[in-house]
Amino acid sequence: MTDTASQDSDESRENGTDNGSRIYDPDADHNFPDEKLNAVLEYIDADEEIQTYLEAQNVNAVDRMRYNDHGEKHIEIVRNRALCLYDLLKAGNVDFNGARQQGLAEEDESVIIALAATLHDVGHVVHRDEHVYYSIPLAADILDRVLPEFYDLADQVRVKGEVLHAILCHHTAETPLTTEAGVIRVSDALDMESGRSRIPYEHGGRGINTLSSQAIKRVSLYEGESSPVMVEIAMTNAAGVYQVDNLLKAKLRDSGLEDHVRIVAVNTNENHEQLVERIEL
């Protein structure tokens, strides 16, 4: 990856400079009711305990294990892309069964997605290994404090169960039973750009996760022609195929979104012979 491309990706990651295809804007028009979601987002973004968890969960992953980012910026990106993905799926009339089967309202679908995206990696404060299973009790405690601000007791229980299910199923070993959980599973893999692996790379990390992430310049979500969503991935060399094929494809498989999401990866490096120019999943 060129220095300029790496710098652009890092600046985009750090400063939040991006386009509307990747960032959820509370003030924009959406294909779903967003009033409750926006109130929940404002609350959790100002919550000291949650924000401390998001900072602390990166210590084991990055500082101690030299792994890719799993902290505040990762959560911000995953949550943004989860909500953008949800918006596109709603525009495509994709059914969301999680909230509906619990007798919750349509407005609760996005709340479930936002809370699960925010809390899915808190288990990293315990250990990177098997972190998803540590995330469940930690997230449950946080939800017990947050949900009473927005729901009565019965709906607290129902929303909590759906959020925890979505958190659990971002792990490929578990199968999502709701569309909401499928969104979290896929969105977790959509944070793959080079800025995510900058720290381990600068510390000499040359594992396949780090090198393949360094090859990804940009990930964007658009309305598709043959499916509700097209994910477009710009990469600068063939190493990026690992992120697309082994990680994103693995997350998409059995997510319930396979028929609704099309993935296109394009090699944007015009200065060298290209082993891979374009792949579609």
Side-chain angles (χ1 to χ4, degrees):
M1 187 174 205
T2 66
D3 290 342
T4 301
S6 178
Q7 182 179 358
D8 289 346
S9 178
D10 289 344
E11 289 179 354
S12 174
R13 187 175 184 86
E14 294 301 322
N15 300 328
T17 53
D18 217 332
N19 57 46
S21 66
R22 302 197 289 172
I23 289 184
Y24 172 76
D25 180 1
D27 296 324
D29 293 330
H30 301 111
N31 297 293
F32 59 89
D34 59 11
E35 184 175 355
K36 180 176 280 187
L37 167 66
N38 292 337
V40 171
L41 289 175
E42 184 176 358
Y43 183 92
I44 62 180
D45 284 345
D47 187 271
E48 183 179 3
E49 181 185 21
I50 293 175
Q51 298 309 311
T52 303
Y53 265 115
L54 301 189
E55 180 181 353
Q57 69 194 37
N58 224 18
V59 173
N60 277 330
V62 175
D63 296 344
R64 294 172 179 165
M65 298 184 71
R66 302 301 183 198
Y67 204 75
N68 288 354
D69 175 36
H70 283 81
E72 297 166 276
K73 185 53 65 173
H74 170 64
I75 296 304
E76 179 185 337
I77 290 172
V78 170
R79 192 171 73 193
N80 273 320
R81 291 182 186 175
L83 292 172
C84 290
L85 177 58
Y86 170 68
D87 196 28
L88 289 167
L89 292 169
K90 292 291 285 188
N93 296 313
V94 173
D95 178 55
F96 280 78
N97 64 311
R100 174 173 53 78
Q101 290 175 335
Q102 290 284 7
L104 296 165
E106 181 185 11
E107 67 179 356
D108 299 319
E109 296 168 356
S110 59
V111 173
I112 290 166
I113 289 170
L115 288 171
T118 302
L119 301 175
H120 77 277
D121 271 345
V122 294
H124 277 88
V125 299
V126 180
H127 205 291
R128 160 67 192 168
D129 298 340
E130 305 295 333
H131 70 276
V132 65
Y133 302 109
Y134 301 125
S135 292
I136 296 300
L138 293 172
D141 286 347
I142 295 171
L143 292 170
D144 284 342
R145 181 175 56 78
V146 172
L147 291 177
E149 300 288 333
F150 302 96
Y151 294 97
D152 62 25
L153 181 59
D155 285 350
Q156 289 171 41
V157 172
R158 296 178 184 279
V159 171
K160 178 181 176 181
E162 292 304 310
V163 172
L164 295 180
H165 174 72
I167 289 173
L168 179 68
C169 294
H170 89 271
H171 185 34
T172 53
E174 311 295 342
T175 301
L177 302 178
T178 69
T179 318
E180 289 92 331
V183 167
I184 297 302
R185 181 188 179 104
V186 172
S187 299
D188 185 42
L190 291 177
D191 182 17
M192 62 172 68
E193 287 132 320
S194 60
R196 189 177 184 197
S197 60
R198 175 179 58 82
I199 294 176
Y201 187 82
E202 289 177 351
H203 285 85
R206 295 298 183 268
I208 186 60
N209 273 301
T210 298
L211 291 178
S212 59
S213 178
Q214 284 288 302
I216 303 296
K217 181 179 180 181
R218 185 178 63 256
V219 178
S220 300
L221 281 69
Y222 302 105
E223 180 181 354
E225 295 181 359
S226 59
S227 60
V229 181
M230 183 182 75
V231 178
E232 183 180 85
I233 301 166
M235 58 186 182
T236 56
N237 67 65
V241 173
Y242 178 85
Q243 289 285 324
V244 178
D245 196 45
N246 290 62
L247 300 182
L248 179 54
K249 184 179 178 180
K251 292 273 191 174
L252 183 61
R253 186 185 305 117
D254 296 327
S255 68
L257 302 182
E258 299 94 320
D259 295 334
H260 306 307
V261 177
R262 177 185 173 212
I263 302 171
V264 177
V266 179
N267 194 334
T268 61
N269 187 347
E270 300 177 352
N271 298 322
H272 301 89
E273 182 179 354
Q274 298 183 14
L275 296 176
V276 176
E277 293 185 0
R278 178 185 177 95
I279 60 173
E280 296 191 25
L281 299 176

